[in-house]
Amino acid sequence: MTSTVQHTSIELDIDGMTCASCAARIEKKLNKVDGVTASVNYATEKARVLTDAPIPVDSLIAVVEQAGYHASLPDPAKPEVDHAATLRSRVLISAVLAVPVIALAMVPAWQFPGWQWVSLALTVPVYAWAGWPFHRSAVVNARHGATTMDTLISLGTTAAFGWSLYVLLFGHAGMIGYTHPFEFMLTRGTGESSIYFEAVVAIVTFLLLGRYFEARSKQKAGEAVRALLQLGATEATLLRGGVETRVPIDSLAAGDTFVVRPGEKIATDGEVVEGSSAVDVSMVTGESVPVDVGPGDAVIGATVNANGRLVVRATRVGADTQLAHIARLVEQAQTGKANVQRLADRISAIFVPVVIGLALLTWVGWLLAGAGLAFASSAAVAVLIIACPCALGLATPTALLVGTGRGAQLGVVIKGPEILERTRSVSTVVLDKTGTVTTGEMQVVQIVGSNAGDDSWLRLAGAAEGASEHPIARAIAAHVASDAGVGGFENLPGQGIRADVEGHQVLVGTPALVADAVPDDTVSTGFAAAQAKGHTAVLVAVDGALRGMIAVADAVKPTSAEAIAQLTALGLTPVLLTGDSRAVAGTVAAEVGIERVIAEVLPADKLAEIQRLQADGTQVAMVGDGVNDAAALAQADLGIAMGTGTDAAIAASDLTLMRGDLRLAATAIRLSRATLATIKGNLFWAFAYNVAAIPLAASGYLNPMIAGAAMAFSSVFVVLNSLRLRAFRA
């Protein structure tokens, strides 16, 4: 007998993470607990813990607390913390205080009597308050024997501030009338008259700006589930004792009966007990053709009742509904994504200890060489300042800001730096059909008449369909635009319509509806051919004789074939994935040039298909637009949503195309790859600058003030390099 291990899933909110290495440290600690498999997502600030044995949540929280961070169970009532707003305040206040400090230090002519004490007063809040996130992170990491870039930032600013304060109080820099020398090199014996407040405020301000850009992109991560749940109805018309009452959706219980009028959303999953209608389920299942429902048929919450009055008995409510299930799939897929370590975070494990060691060696070396405490301390401070990773902190956010800004101009939204890395490695692009490759709207695609040249029957059929609210009828009426008068109209659920048009009896619908009509081989052959292509076809009988056939279908977008060719040229293999029938999917795929088709799949199956491709070692990009695509978009290595689709799909995606033009998918991937290349170039030059400048600082050839200026220049270089993305062309 084979035993199956039952896993329990626990989700925790994590507070206090400042970089991807924090997430990795928490994940490592949790995974050391017996029977635990944990995944910590820095972007969403959540940990998903799978356990194969009963483990108290308090013990898991304690593990996180021991690592130096805070954890708690999710509380829906707890207001979300706007980290971007907090950082924005720090950046603005820091910048306002930093500008005069930097200006006074760099332009000796502006140094009025007592300027150095004004600089101190302006620097204290920047160092202590604005820079507090870096100091706190450095202390937390130090307690656990770890170092990150925050350690280096805190050490560099503390060394520069501490030395400057020392020479103000005990050196010559505190005297009224003192001016700051502008020298490139250190001179022995002058260290006691040098202050470096400008380096402190510049480092803190530049790096806070980078953190702010990062926080703005992270803020988007939790929107997918909220957008999904907002798709559902907020109220329902409860039917009890023959009396209809509007009630909040939360008060519905399984077994309750509620009414759904034409145009309303179905409140929750249920079973039709009275009435018949066509239900638009495309937002949830991806099926392009509205589904006819009647007594005994199941309906899904959040789908739209097209034309008839329905009475539905609730079968699943709240967290048990299909919509809620899809929401959980999205959340699980997001939380389960592999953490992308920034290059700067990975290198910091080696870079930071080396820099600290070099600063200590510089200090000791100059003392042993007899250079004096002031010179040795200034050289060591210069090493720490020149190594402070301002350019590293700006490398990703500035390129991302320019790249995303250019993308917005072109109709592409990029959500974060980790997305860019995925665009380089994806090899397969999976495409939803309805609303992505096709328009998502029914259109007449074929008309076959019994007698060539005689289309009088078409005019009568168009008029009859104009009296119906069924989506197929609306497509035919829009195509024909008949002005014939209609009388005696009758809707026949599941079959079609019967109407009197200008004295003629007209039937439009299924073969069963016109079974008694005089047959016609031309019309019958056209009907069979249309069905073979996956089109939805109706027959038209006039006065008891079969006169014609009209086929409707979800039309392919004019630009889809070109888009597929562009994606293929980028090295991607296209796959069509849809909830529609195999015949429909095959016809669409052949028209646009897609060879591989996966059809007739449910929302959960779409997720499974993506996972199956990934299990084979394929890096997958997914393009979709509906609620049914949201979980698959979140699971894919690269999720691309059509902006003309649902908010849920957009929120679950990594890239959003603001127009319904699939060619934008190719533009989005090209732009993402260009932005990634810029980020890598920024990181390379930032590190190259450090590698070249640190030896100069250690050798005493670099004044700490000039080191601060060089550090600022490296940041400017990174920004200018990022601005080149503004020239990107579609």
Side-chain angles (χ1 to χ4, degrees):
M1 179 180 291
T2 302
S3 62
T4 302
V5 177
Q6 296 295 324
H7 291 282
T8 301
S9 178
I10 301 170
E11 185 179 272
L12 297 174
D13 287 338
I14 307 294
D15 292 324
M17 294 190 293
T18 59
C19 60
S21 58
C22 295
R25 186 172 301 116
I26 297 169
E27 190 171 291
K28 185 177 180 181
K29 292 283 188 182
L30 286 170
N31 283 323
K32 285 183 178 180
V33 179
D34 290 338
V36 165
T37 303
S39 174
V40 180
N41 191 314
Y42 170 54
T44 59
E45 298 184 325
K46 291 181 183 293
R48 184 169 173 240
V49 182
L50 293 177
T51 67
D52 56 15
I55 297 178
V57 174
D58 289 345
S59 64
L60 296 174
I61 292 176
V63 170
V64 177
E65 299 280 349
Q66 289 167 9
Y69 305 90
H70 301 289
S72 61
L73 288 172
D75 182 3
K78 181 181 177 182
E80 292 188 24
V81 178
D82 191 345
H83 296 294
T86 303
L87 280 169
R88 182 170 59 246
S89 300
R90 287 184 187 272
V91 169
L92 290 175
I93 294 173
S94 180
V96 168
L97 297 174
V99 168
V101 175
I102 295 171
L104 288 171
M106 296 300 181
V107 185
W110 294 352
Q111 294 172 1
F112 55 85
W115 70 274
Q116 68 271 42
W117 294 101
V118 173
S119 292
L120 171 63
L122 295 174
T123 301
V124 169
V126 176
Y127 168 75
W129 175 75
W132 171 245
F134 305 118
H135 303 316
R136 178 190 175 280
S137 176
V139 171
V140 169
N141 285 304
R143 287 175 182 169
H144 297 87
T147 59
T148 65
M149 284 298 177
D150 286 347
T151 306
L152 194 54
I153 296 164
S154 180
L155 274 178
T157 53
T158 299
F161 181 80
W163 179 256
S164 300
L165 188 61
Y166 169 78
V167 298
L168 272 180
L169 297 176
F170 305 107
H172 307 299
M175 295 184 296
I176 300 299
Y178 160 83
T179 57
H180 198 300
F182 191 82
E183 298 174 345
F184 283 92
M185 295 177 59
L186 283 174
T187 304
R188 296 194 183 196
T190 62
E192 292 182 2
S193 62
S194 299
I195 58 175
Y196 311 117
F197 292 131
E198 76 286 350
V200 176
V201 295
I203 290 169
V204 171
T205 303
F206 274 119
L207 286 166
L208 280 176
L209 184 63
R211 290 282 172 89
Y212 167 66
F213 290 152
E214 183 181 49
R216 281 181 59 187
S217 63
K218 278 176 57 183
Q219 233 175 17
K220 303 281 185 182
E223 293 180 358
V225 174
R226 290 193 296 273
L228 271 172
L229 296 177
Q230 286 171 0
L231 281 174
T234 56
E235 289 186 326
T237 303
L238 184 65
L239 182 62
R240 187 170 291 168
V243 178
E244 297 181 9
T245 309
R246 294 291 287 178
V247 297
I249 192 68
D250 294 340
S251 65
L252 270 185
D256 283 346
T257 302
F258 59 93
V259 176
V260 188
R261 293 183 174 81
E264 289 184 341
K265 291 180 180 179
I266 295 175
T268 191
D269 296 357
E271 179 182 320
V272 178
V273 295
E274 183 183 322
S276 58
S277 181
V279 177
D280 182 358
V281 296
S282 60
M283 300 289 275
V284 174
T285 68
E287 176 66 46
S288 57
V289 180
V291 176
D292 290 319
V293 297
D297 292 329
V299 290
I300 302 170
T303 56
V304 180
N305 178 21
N307 51 19
R309 179 181 182 273
L310 295 175
V311 178
V312 180
R313 182 174 59 250
T315 56
R316 291 191 296 264
V317 297
D320 297 327
T321 64
Q322 187 165 337
L323 184 66
H325 177 61
I326 295 174
R328 285 194 296 273
L329 289 176
V330 172
E331 192 166 26
Q332 289 170 11
Q334 283 191 329
T335 306
K337 284 181 180 177
N339 294 301
V340 180
Q341 294 284 350
R342 285 173 182 259
L343 181 59
D345 288 322
R346 290 197 296 267
I347 294 177
S348 67
I350 300 172
F351 181 72
V352 175
V354 167
V355 169
I356 295 171
L358 285 173
L360 287 173
L361 285 175
T362 299
W363 186 69
V364 172
W366 282 113
L367 284 178
L368 293 176
L373 177 64
F375 184 88
S377 298
S378 293
V381 169
V383 170
L384 289 173
I385 291 175
I386 202 72
C388 272
C390 285
L392 292 177
L394 290 171
T396 294
T398 53
L400 185 64
L401 191 69
V402 179
T404 52
R406 181 58 184 148
Q409 292 175 334
L410 297 171
V412 174
V413 177
I414 304 170
K415 288 194 176 177
E418 68 280 359
I419 286 108
L420 306 176
E421 295 186 12
R422 299 178 205 152
T423 63
R424 181 189 57 183
S425 57
V426 292
S427 57
T428 297
V429 56
V430 176
L431 301 143
D432 171 53
K433 182 187 74 68
T434 306
T436 302
V437 177
T438 65
T439 62
E441 297 178 357
M442 305 301 291
Q443 296 181 18
V444 173
V445 293
Q446 186 181 11
I447 297 173
V448 176
S450 58
N451 296 315
D454 179 11
D455 61 355
S456 59
W457 64 272
L458 183 59
R459 177 173 171 274
L460 299 176
E465 291 285 57
S468 173
E469 291 297 320
H470 196 284
I472 294 176
R474 288 201 298 268
I476 294 173
H479 182 82
V480 177
S482 174
D483 59 355
V486 179
F489 176 84
E490 182 182 2
N491 184 44
L492 305 170
Q495 290 187 301
I497 62 167
R498 178 186 293 114
D500 292 328
V501 184
E502 295 184 343
H504 298 281
Q505 186 185 66
V506 180
L507 298 175
V508 185
T510 65
L513 179 65
V514 299
D516 296 333
V518 178
D520 182 272
D521 290 341
T522 302
V523 174
S524 298
T525 301
F527 181 82
Q531 285 193 315
K533 293 179 182 178
H535 297 160
T536 300
V538 294
L539 295 170
V540 180
V542 179
D543 295 331
L546 190 60
R547 295 293 304 279
M549 182 279 301
I550 305 173
V552 298
D554 182 8
V556 173
K557 294 177 181 178
T559 58
S560 290
E562 183 183 348
I564 299 302
Q566 290 179 0
L567 290 168
T568 303
L570 287 171
L572 304 176
T573 301
V575 176
L576 189 66
L577 179 65
T578 178
D580 233 328
S581 68
R582 295 184 185 280
V584 171
T587 300
V588 171
E591 187 173 341
V592 298
I594 298 176
E595 295 183 3
R596 185 174 178 185
V597 177
I598 304 172
E600 299 176 0
V601 289
L602 297 174
D605 295 328
K606 286 193 174 186
L607 175 63
E609 290 293 342
I610 298 295
Q611 291 172 330
R612 190 173 296 114
L613 287 168
Q614 291 172 326
D616 293 336
T618 302
Q619 295 288 304
V620 180
M622 168 76 187
V623 187
D625 75 326
V627 175
N628 60 304
D629 303 316
L633 285 167
Q635 175 63 37
D637 299 285
L638 181 69
I640 305 175
M642 308 295 284
T644 51
T646 64
D647 290 342
I650 292 170
S653 67
D654 302 311
L655 298 171
T656 301
L657 315 181
M658 300 312 294
R659 298 192 301 274
D661 189 344
L662 189 57
R663 291 177 300 182
L664 277 179
T667 298
I669 292 174
R670 286 180 52 245
L671 175 60
S672 297
R673 289 176 177 178
T675 306
L676 175 63
T678 301
I679 289 173
K680 288 192 169 184
N682 286 346
L683 291 173
F684 170 78
W685 286 111
F687 274 115
Y689 145 83
N690 284 122
V691 170
I694 287 175
L696 289 174
S699 302
Y701 287 105
L702 203 60
N703 189 308
M705 182 185 70
I706 303 304
M711 176 272 301
F713 174 76
S714 71
S715 300
V716 172
F717 173 82
V718 162
V719 172
L720 292 175
N721 188 47
S722 298
L723 287 173
R724 294 189 305 114
L725 286 168
R726 295 169 64 180
F728 179 87
R729 294 289 180 268

